[in-house]
Amino acid sequence: MPIGTDINQAAELLRTGGIVAIPTETVYGLAANAFNPEAVLKIFQAKQRPSFDPLIVHVHSVEQALDVTDTAQLAPEVQAQAKALMQRFWPGPLTLVLPKDPRVPDLVTSGLDTVAVRMPAHPMALALLQKLEFPLSAPSANPFGYISPTTAQHVQDQLGDRVDYILDGGPCSVGVESTIIGYDAESGRWVLYRPGGTPLEAVEAAIGSVPAARKKVMPVSPGTLESHYAPRKPVFIGPIPKLMQRHAGRRIGVISLHTNHGAAINQVLSPEGDLAEAARHLFSALRTLDNSDVELILAEEFPPEGLGTAINDRLRRAAAGAREQG
Ligand code: TXA
Ligand code: MG
């Protein structure tokens, strides 16, 4: 299974209905021609992901985003806000959920009348998108429910034999998935579907307050599932010294912002306490601990600001399975 940096080969495989893992600034995606349902179906099969979970469509420009959406359905001031968000935050880790153009297949949107679009801030992803005659639908390139990949090797380890090519763009610079917001026609306001790589504070500075979506998009929407991004080992969140006492005698791995708590294995995500650096290292740290000989993973709660909000969200989902088991 080839890993490489050949953008032309990736483009050719995508043109002929293949699936290719691509680097983005957030996490690696598993991409297919968004206009080719047969190719898109292969993504769901490779990930073993339920096909009622809608995918994000990746574009190379605001123009292409306007092509896959139908913003004319929105009030003029909302159209203006959507365009302003694209211009302000793209390329970058902000996904917008907007009314869809009829050309986008139901398999991509799970039959919803909206589509999620984003323009990734990765030079290789953008070069690839610019070569292609179509946008790319791509979920994160991990088996359904597991930790998202932030290096080409992570993809190779888990989906290597199920993808046609892995385009290696180095380690992801943001490290957590995009922030997803959408215009909710019913409530007449922008809502947050998932915190992520663009701090919500920055989005709110542009368009005012963006409350969490109250309704789930689909019966089950994996990115918003309680238990998701989950390692195989139990994860517990809280004050580390207290948790270490409670689990004394067991082999413990710890994820913390800047303090080394002296566990068997310690993953200090940012010695300087920088939340963006911590986000960049989060998924690798979870993987390292999951693949190590520790019995359980303890994580501290991160400051709930900037990328700390996305980190806490992913840790909570990683811990959800453990909580369910008690
Ligand atoms: O950073 C990212 O967003 C990465 C990279 C590869 O771009 N992609 C990613 O895709 O995280 P995925 O499929 O793992 O998560 C996308 C989330 C899903 O939870 C899905 O439910 C939500 O986007 N979504 C997609 N279309 C939607 C829609 N029309 N309305 C609401 N949520 C939607
Ligand atoms: Mg995902």
Side-chain angles (χ1 to χ4, degrees), residues 18-315:
I19 54 174
V20 173
I22 61 164
T24 82
E25 80 282 29
T26 57
V27 301
Y28 274 71
L30 185 53
N33 176 351
F35 291 148
N36 178 347
E38 265 169 59
V40 173
L41 189 60
K42 293 184 193 163
I43 297 176
F44 288 100
Q45 287 163 345
K47 277 189 64 116
Q48 298 181 295
R49 165 166 165 149
S51 59
F52 47 77
D53 186 38
L55 303 177
I56 295 174
V57 174
H58 296 70
V59 296
H60 58 62
S61 60
V62 172
E63 290 67 40
Q64 197 178 26
L66 296 176
D67 202 41
V68 296
T69 57
D70 182 10
T71 50
Q73 291 184 36
L74 300 168
E77 62 272 20
V78 183
Q79 284 181 46
Q81 282 179 323
K83 211 162 168 194
L85 287 169
M86 293 174 188
Q87 276 156 356
R88 162 83 181 75
F89 291 101
W90 286 3
L94 180 67
T95 295
L96 300 179
V97 173
L98 296 168
K100 86 174 189 82
D101 184 272
R103 279 191 308 152
V104 181
D106 279 341
L107 187 58
V108 170
T109 62
S110 297
L112 293 171
D113 50 12
T114 53
V115 61
V117 280
R118 90 174 189 96
M119 177 177 170
H122 191 291
M124 238 181 205
L126 286 175
L128 175 64
L129 283 162
Q130 278 154 9
K131 269 185 197 295
L132 295 170
E133 304 71 37
F134 45 81
L136 293 173
S137 52
S140 49
N142 50 289
F144 178 67
Y146 196 66
I147 305 160
S148 299
T150 52
T151 66
Q153 189 61 47
H154 291 164
V155 182
Q156 163 80 355
D157 291 345
Q158 294 194 299
L159 295 179
D161 52 352
R162 297 175 179 214
V163 303
D164 294 309
Y165 190 65
I166 300 173
L167 196 55
D168 187 351
C172 301
S173 61
V174 173
V176 292
E177 297 86 346
S178 60
T179 301
I180 306 179
I181 67 167
Y183 188 75
D184 177 39
E186 223 166 279
S187 62
R189 55 189 315 178
W190 292 90
V191 294
L192 175 70
Y193 292 113
R194 178 178 73 184
T198 299
L200 191 62
E201 295 92 324
V203 177
E204 293 189 320
I207 55 167
S209 93
V210 180
R214 259 183 291 142
K215 259 192 332 212
K216 294 278 175 256
V217 192
M218 301 298 291
V220 185
S221 177
T224 58
L225 263 187
E226 268 287 285
S227 171
H228 200 59
Y229 311 103
R232 292 173 297 265
K233 297 197 174 141
V235 177
F236 299 96
I237 304 170
I240 301 299
K242 206 167 140 195
L243 288 176
M244 284 180 70
Q245 253 173 25
R246 184 180 308 161
H247 296 282
R250 304 190 66 187
R251 208 170 151 73
I252 292 172
V254 167
I255 293 185
S256 61
L257 178 56
H258 52 61
T259 311
N260 185 326
H261 291 278
I265 304 185
N266 301 277
Q267 295 286 321
V268 174
L269 299 190
S270 170
E272 263 85 60
D274 173 4
L275 290 170
E277 183 183 32
R280 186 153 60 237
H281 297 147
L282 175 66
F283 287 149
S284 280
L286 275 169
R287 254 170 215 271
T288 300
L289 293 179
D290 206 25
N291 294 332
S292 75
D293 63 353
V294 300
E295 296 165 70
L296 50 98
I297 299 170
L298 306 181
E300 65 187 20
E301 214 160 301
F302 284 65
E305 64 200 23
L307 286 182
T309 309
I311 295 174
N312 286 334
D313 172 80
R314 303 305 187 270
L315 285 172

